[in-house]
């Protein structure tokens, strides 16, 4: 299936319910405002129909010399098909395009599959940090979710210049 990578738009959010609940989509909408200010880049990997099958962002604010990958999601029916690798590669290209040569990310410590995925892409774990966010439970109640995240990083090579 041919895939296209482009900037995520507000119009895409209606097709991204698979990536998280209403609070998550509201957070993504807020990040799209930050994208307009060039603080972040937020990408969509799209099926031929134009609908996103993966989304994720790179935040340029937390680190002066790196990009922070976050909110990465691949449609559950399409996981383990190489789409996540494609998304991470595109986000790393955005980091390089801004003249930065390190990518940082976090994943939840209990998600062993995430560690294997990121290690396969060349990321190295260097610590853990407490993290948390609000989540909406069935019935609409909002609850704080607390977790421990593993911090990972990867040094990036500059993009090869076209000759």
């Amino acid at each position: 299936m041919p895939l296209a990578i482009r900037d995520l738009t507000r119009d895409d959010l209606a097709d991204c319910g698979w990536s998280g609940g209403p609070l998550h989509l509201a957070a993504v909408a807020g990040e799209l405002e930050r994208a307009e200010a060039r603080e972040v880049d937020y990408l969509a990997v799209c099926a031929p129909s134009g609908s996103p099958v993966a989304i994720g962002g790179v935040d340029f604010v937390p680190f002066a010399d790196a990009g922070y990958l976050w909110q990465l999601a691949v449609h559950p029916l399409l996981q383990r098909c190489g789409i996540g690798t494609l998304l991470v590669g595109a986000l790393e290209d955005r980091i390089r395009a801004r003249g930065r040569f390190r990518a940082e990310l976090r994943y939840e410590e209990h998600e062993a599959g995430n560690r294997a995925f990121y290690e396969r892409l060349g990321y190295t774990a260097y610590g853990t940090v407490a993290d948390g966010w609000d989540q909406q439970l069935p019935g609409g109640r909002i609850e704080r979710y607390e977790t421990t995240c593993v911090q990972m990083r990867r040094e990036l090579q500059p993009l090869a210049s076209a000759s």
Side-chain angles (χ1 to χ4, degrees), residues 15 18 52-55 73-79 83:
D15 294 328
W18 51 264
V53 296
I55 61 173
V74 175
H75 193 290
L77 296 176
L78 297 171
Q79 291 177 355
I83 297 170

Side-chain angles (χ1 to χ4, degrees), residues 13-30:
L13 294 179
D15 294 328
C16 293
W18 51 264
S19 70
L23 287 180
H24 171 72
L25 292 176
V28 173

Side-chain angles (χ1 to χ4, degrees), residues 48-137:
S49 66
S51 294
V53 296
I55 61 173
V58 57
D59 193 335
F60 295 100
V61 174
F63 301 94
D65 61 344
Y68 175 68
L69 304 182
W70 94 127
Q71 294 186 341
L72 306 180
V74 175
H75 193 290
L77 296 176
L78 297 171
Q79 291 177 355
R80 293 180 171 59
C81 295
I83 297 170
T85 300
L86 186 66
L87 175 61
V88 170
L91 292 167
E92 290 174 346
D93 286 347
R94 294 291 182 104
I95 294 169
R96 289 181 189 101
R98 298 254 191 137
R100 299 178 186 193
F101 300 101
R102 192 177 78 249
E104 298 269 346
L105 60 83
R106 295 178 183 174
Y107 73 90
E108 286 189 78
E109 188 173 48
H110 68 272
E111 298 285 348
N114 285 350
R115 181 179 190 120
F117 170 71
Y118 292 121
E119 285 178 342
R120 184 175 57 76
L121 295 179
Y123 285 80
T124 303
Y126 67 90
T128 59
V129 63
D131 202 352
W133 48 86
D134 291 337
Q135 63 181 7
Q136 190 168 1
L137 302 176

Side-chain angles (χ1 to χ4, degrees), residues 15-50:
D15 294 328
C16 293
W18 51 264
S19 70
L23 287 180
H24 171 72
L25 292 176
V28 173
E31 297 306 330
L32 293 178
E33 290 179 21
R34 292 183 64 217
E36 292 170 5
R38 299 211 14 96
E39 293 177 356
V40 305
D41 284 348
Y42 215 108
L43 300 181
V45 179
C46 298
S49 66

